[in-house]
Amino acid sequence: MSSREAILNAIKEAKPHNSDSALPEVNILHTTYEDLDAKFATTLAGVGGNAVHLDSLSAVEDYIKEHYAEATVIVSTVEGLHVGTKELGATDDPHTLKDVDLAIIKGEFAVAENGAVWVKEADARHRALYFIAQKLMIVVPKGEVVHTMHEAYMRVGFDDKDLFGIFISGPSKTADIEQSLVIGAHGATEACVVFI
């Protein structure tokens, strides 16, 4: 057994066996916002993203044609959206996703406090897509916005079929060098959250 296999096996064995483990109780007052949609949009804009409200998946398709006309390789994990030019299920190798111009993924809910969206998918084999695409679009059901991460924490959960979940807030960014914000440093250069 290689040391890589030994490490991966040790990680698998250390995985909690009971997914029903209770989360710690959080009983503190937290900030609330009058207009969750406006607060989310403002916060997301502050970290380099944008929020859009549309009525239907067909409106999303029209928005993509208008605002992402230059995108030639599009991948979508959103059921009912027919704009993909590359079939995601055709490969298990994440390296084949290196040319994706626009990735469209499903978000569960958004957080007004920090402009983040909770993304959880049962089929986690393509999670590299979230980080390797040039541009990212996250589709979230309208009205699914919470005030703070405290509320978000109460909604986050996993069961046996859920393998992966992540909060994504805007495009890739870093401020490590002289505390100067650089957008698209090591991932998506743009991020758009669409509420439908």
Side-chain angles (χ1 to χ4, degrees):
M1 178 185 299
S2 71
S3 53
R4 178 181 184 271
E5 290 170 334
I7 291 170
L8 291 175
N9 285 338
I11 292 171
K12 285 179 186 174
E13 290 175 14
K15 183 178 172 184
H17 297 290
N18 183 0
S19 63
D20 296 332
S21 298
L23 296 173
E25 194 171 317
V26 179
N27 288 325
I28 61 171
L29 294 175
H30 54 272
T31 304
T32 58
Y33 304 99
E34 254 184 68
D35 186 338
L36 286 173
D37 291 333
K39 175 60 179 173
F40 177 81
T42 301
T43 306
L44 184 61
V47 295
N50 70 308
V52 177
H53 291 263
L54 299 172
D55 294 328
S56 63
L57 286 177
S58 62
V60 174
E61 292 177 5
D62 293 340
Y63 184 88
I64 291 167
K65 288 174 189 169
E66 181 181 343
H67 291 87
Y68 298 95
E70 76 288 351
T72 56
V73 181
I74 301 173
V75 173
S76 174
T77 65
V78 177
E79 193 174 317
L81 198 57
H82 306 291
V83 293
T85 62
K86 185 172 193 162
E87 179 56 44
L88 191 58
T91 182
D92 284 330
D93 183 4
H95 296 93
T96 63
L97 303 174
K98 67 183 177 188
D99 62 345
V100 174
D101 296 313
L102 175 63
I104 307 160
I105 61 175
K106 180 182 177 232
E108 301 287 319
F109 62 89
V111 185
E113 173 182 52
N114 60 3
V117 176
W118 176 246
V119 177
K120 179 176 82 168
E121 294 195 28
D123 181 3
R125 66 184 176 148
H126 297 302
R127 63 181 174 247
L129 177 66
Y130 311 151
F131 313 106
I132 201 169
Q134 288 298 308
K135 297 177 181 177
L136 187 62
M137 177 181 280
I138 308 172
V139 178
V140 178
K142 197 170 279 190
E144 290 295 326
V145 184
V146 298
H147 294 275
T148 65
M149 287 299 288
H150 294 291
E151 286 183 51
Y153 178 77
M154 301 308 287
R155 290 189 61 173
V156 170
F158 293 95
D159 55 34
D160 292 338
K161 66 181 175 154
D162 295 320
L163 302 175
F164 180 77
I166 186 171
F167 281 102
I168 298 175
S169 179
S172 163
K173 56 201 154 292
T174 184
D176 290 345
I177 301 170
E178 297 181 6
Q179 296 182 342
S180 177
L181 184 64
V182 177
I183 302 291
H186 42 70
T189 59
E190 291 181 23
C192 177
V193 177
V194 178
F195 293 94
I196 61 165

